[in-house]
Amino acid sequence: MDDTIAAIATPLGQGGIGIIRLSGPRAKEIAGRIFVPKKPGKALQDRRLVLGNLVDPSTGAVLDEVLVSLMAAPLSYTREDVVEINSHSGPLLLSKVLQVVLQTGARLARPGEFTFRAFMNGRMDLTQAEAVVDLIRSRSEKGLALAARQLSGGFAEQIEGLRQRALDLLARIEAAIDFPEEADSIVGVEESRSLEENLLPAIERLITSHTQRKIWMDGIATVIVGRVNAGKSSLLNRLLNEERALVTPIPGTTRDVVESTIHIEGIPLRLMDTAGFRKGRGRIEHLGIRKTEQRLSEADLALVVIDQSRPLSGVDRELLARTGEKSLTILNKSDLPSRIGRNTEAKMRKERRVVKTSALTGSGLEDLRRAIVEMVVLDGEGEDLLHAAPNIRQRDELLEAEESFRNAARNLKEELPLEIVAADLHAGVDGLGRIVGKGSPEEVLDRIFSEFCIGK
C-alpha cells in the first residue's frame, strides 16, 4: 500500500484517447517529473485538466501532447492521490508512456489493485467492489441497473441490517450467559421466533433470487440440439436474423459449436448451435457430437429441435429423455405435413413445453421467443431481484449463515446450553460480515480482485 501503482486504464488499440492511471503517495511527484505544462509555471491542480507535453526524463524527448488531471486524496477513487494522463491512443505509444512512468518510480498495478485500494481505504465495501466487475461484464440493461444499485451500496445495506438484527439477538444471549439467574427474563421463546420469522426468511429471499439475477447479469447459456438436418442451424439464423451458421441439405454440415448472443425482451441468450446427433461417420463428426454432449450438460436451457416432417426417431426420443425440465421442444418444419403422429404429439405436450416453428418461413418464431421468456423469468421477479445475492461467493456465505441461524433457532427451542446458541449466532454474524469484507481471509480477497482487469 506504500507503493505508487500505475497501469493503462483503457483498452489497448488505436483510438481517440488512452489513459494511464497512477495512484499512491508519489503519484503527483512522478507526474511532475515527466509532465511539462504548456503554460510555464502552471502546476497540477486538484480536479483540473492541464495541457502540456509528456517527456522522457532520461532523454528529454517529447513523447506526446497530453492532458493531465490530479485527484487529490481522499476525494478520489482509491482515497489516495490519483493522476490520470490522457494521451493519444495507440499500443506502442501507451506502452512507452507507461514504461516512462514505471522508470520514474511507480510499479505496475496488479489486476484489480486500484479497486482493492479503494476497498482497503474504506472507499467501498466488498460488495461494491464486486459490483464494479458486474458493471463491466453485464450483458443486459437490467443487469447494468442491478449492478449500479449494488455499487451504490443497496445490497450492503441489506446485509448490514440483517447482521445488526443477529448482533442484537447475540447480545441478549450473551447477557443471559453472564447473568444466569436472570436468563429466563432475558431470553425467551420470542428470540427463536425472531430468527424463524424475521431473519431466516430475509436470508432465504436473498438466496432464492440469486438464480434470476444471474440471468440478467450473465445471460442464459442456451444450446440448440437435435438430430442431423432437423433445422437447428436454420433456426439459429432466423433467431439471429443473419446467416451465422452454414446451412446445406448435406447431413452433418455443422461439426463444431457455433455461438452467438441475442437479446429477447432484454434477456441475453448465448445461443450455441451444435453438431447433429447420429452415429458418427468420421472422427471429426464424432468429436463434434462429443462437444455437443458436453455443452448440453453445462447449458441453462436446451432447445430440442425435432423435424416433424419425419417420424420420431430413437435419437429424438433419447434427446427428449436427456433434456428434461430445462428444455423447450421445438417441432420444426411446420410448413410440411407432420409425420410424428397426433397421439405422440399430444403425449409430448403433456410432458413438456412444445412450440411449432418453421425456420424456412419464420412461422412460430414469436411464439418461441415468448416461450423462452416465460421459461426463464419468474412471475413478479422484478422486486425480488433487488434483494438477490449478486454472486456465488455471496450466495455461499448466505447459505452458511442461514444454516448457523437455523441451528441457533433449533437449539433455542430444544433448550440447549446458551453457549451453543451463542456459537451458532457468532458463526452466522461472521458469515454476513464476510459478505461485505469484514474478516474476509486474504486468499478470498486475492481471488476476488484477480478477476479484475489490470488498470481497474
Side-chain angles (χ1 to χ4, degrees):
M1 295 291 288
D2 293 332
D3 293 343
T4 295
I5 58 174
I8 299 170
T10 47
L12 286 175
Q14 295 180 343
I17 194 170
I19 297 175
I20 292 86
R21 175 183 290 163
L22 296 83
S23 180
R26 295 187 60 200
K28 186 177 179 180
E29 173 204 335
I30 292 170
R33 292 175 60 189
I34 63 177
F35 175 65
V36 180
K38 288 285 186 180
K39 292 183 178 180
K42 186 176 179 66
L44 288 178
Q45 301 175 46
D46 189 23
R47 284 163 180 76
R48 293 289 187 272
L49 281 168
V50 182
L51 178 66
N53 290 324
L54 197 77
V55 300
D56 183 343
S58 64
T59 64
V62 175
L63 298 178
D64 192 15
E65 184 179 69
V66 297
L67 286 166
V68 177
S69 60
L70 166 67
M71 286 148 281
L75 301 178
S76 70
Y77 182 70
T78 61
R79 283 195 173 165
E80 302 173 333
D81 282 348
V82 171
V83 170
E84 289 189 350
I85 301 169
N86 298 256
S87 73
H88 296 93
S89 182
L92 183 59
L93 176 59
L94 286 174
S95 297
K96 182 62 178 176
V97 173
L98 178 61
Q99 180 184 348
V100 167
V101 169
L102 299 179
Q103 289 172 347
T104 312
R107 70 162 170 83
L108 185 64
R110 293 187 291 270
E113 191 167 2
F114 289 92
T115 304
F116 174 75
R117 291 189 173 205
F119 164 68
M120 293 298 293
N121 290 327
R123 166 74 168 71
M124 58 179 67
D125 63 48
L126 197 54
T127 67
Q128 291 172 300
E130 290 171 295
V132 174
V133 174
D134 286 342
L135 273 173
I136 295 169
R137 294 179 178 175
S138 180
R139 293 173 176 264
S140 71
E141 289 190 14
K142 184 174 281 192
L144 281 174
L146 291 169
R149 185 179 186 277
Q150 183 186 343
L151 186 60
S152 70
F155 180 66
E157 287 176 8
Q158 295 177 69
I159 295 299
E160 190 57 29
L162 294 173
R163 187 169 168 275
Q164 288 303 320
R165 284 192 227 171
L167 282 171
D168 291 343
L169 179 57
L170 178 58
R172 291 199 297 276
I173 297 292
E174 291 187 334
I177 293 172
D178 291 338
F179 303 97
E181 66 279 2
E182 300 178 22
D184 290 342
S185 63
I186 298 174
V187 177
V189 68
E190 62 270 15
E191 274 69 32
S192 175
R193 186 181 299 122
S194 175
L195 281 168
E196 292 180 333
E197 296 180 3
N198 297 321
L199 197 61
L200 284 169
I203 292 175
E204 288 168 6
R205 190 180 181 193
L206 291 171
I207 294 168
T208 55
S209 300
H210 167 78
T211 301
Q212 285 292 298
R213 189 184 191 279
K214 182 175 178 290
I215 289 172
W216 297 101
M217 299 303 301
D218 302 331
I220 301 292
T222 308
V223 62
I224 305 175
V225 296
R227 61 167 160 160
V228 293
N229 272 20
K232 300 182 300 301
S233 297
S234 298
L235 194 64
L236 173 68
N237 291 338
R238 272 288 181 181
L239 287 169
L240 296 174
N241 203 24
E242 63 177 271
E243 295 295 320
R244 180 71 175 81
L246 179 62
V247 178
T248 77
I250 303 171
T253 301
T254 303
R255 296 187 176 184
D256 202 352
V257 177
V258 179
E259 297 191 26
S260 294
T261 299
I262 63 170
H263 287 76
I264 299 178
E265 293 190 19
I267 302 170
L269 256 69
R270 292 178 280 127
L271 289 171
M272 295 171 279
D273 182 24
T274 60
F277 276 83
R278 66 170 179 173
K279 292 182 179 180
R281 297 188 178 181
R283 185 171 179 273
I284 293 176
E285 192 170 343
H286 180 67
L287 290 173
I289 293 173
R290 284 185 61 185
K291 189 173 289 187
T292 297
E293 291 172 336
Q294 178 185 344
R295 293 301 176 92
L296 184 59
S297 67
E298 298 170 351
D300 299 315
L301 175 66
L303 302 181
V304 184
V305 182
I306 304 291
D307 179 359
Q308 68 148 32
S309 69
R310 295 184 284 178
L312 212 62
S313 69
V315 172
D316 292 328
R317 296 180 192 279
E318 181 186 350
L319 281 171
L320 290 171
R322 287 178 59 179
T323 47
E325 292 182 358
K326 63 174 186 178
S327 67
L328 176 61
T329 302
I330 302 169
L331 299 181
N332 193 33
K333 303 187 182 181
S334 61
D335 52 300
L336 299 175
S338 175
R339 295 186 62 195
I340 64 172
R342 289 184 180 179
N343 292 338
T344 301
E345 182 177 335
K347 183 173 181 292
M348 194 184 298
R349 289 182 181 277
K350 276 187 177 182
E351 297 173 349
R352 55 204 303 123
R353 184 135 194 174
V354 178
V355 175
K356 278 197 172 187
T357 65
S358 170
L360 179 65
T361 66
S363 172
L365 264 292
E366 284 307 311
D367 293 337
L368 174 58
R369 293 188 179 97
R370 194 178 308 114
I372 290 172
V373 172
E374 290 172 358
M375 285 195 69
V376 300
V377 177
L378 300 177
D379 291 338
E381 56 95 58
E383 180 63 26
D384 285 344
L385 287 179
L386 299 178
H387 308 281
N391 61 38
I392 292 175
R393 180 193 74 85
Q394 295 158 359
R395 185 204 62 185
D396 289 347
E397 293 287 8
L398 283 168
L399 285 169
E400 290 190 21
E402 178 192 33
E403 183 180 2
S404 298
F405 292 138
R406 201 174 294 283
N407 289 339
R410 184 182 64 249
N411 293 336
L412 264 176
K413 275 186 174 180
E414 295 177 0
E415 299 184 352
L416 266 65
L418 292 179
E419 288 82 0
I420 296 177
V421 177
D424 291 328
L425 289 173
H426 267 295
V429 168
D430 290 346
L432 294 178
R434 286 193 297 272
I435 292 175
V436 293
K438 296 177 180 177
S440 295
E442 186 175 340
E443 61 268 23
V444 172
L445 297 178
D446 287 344
R447 185 172 67 249
I448 290 170
F449 287 99
S450 68
E451 296 178 2
F452 285 62
C453 59
I454 293 176
K456 192 59 187 169

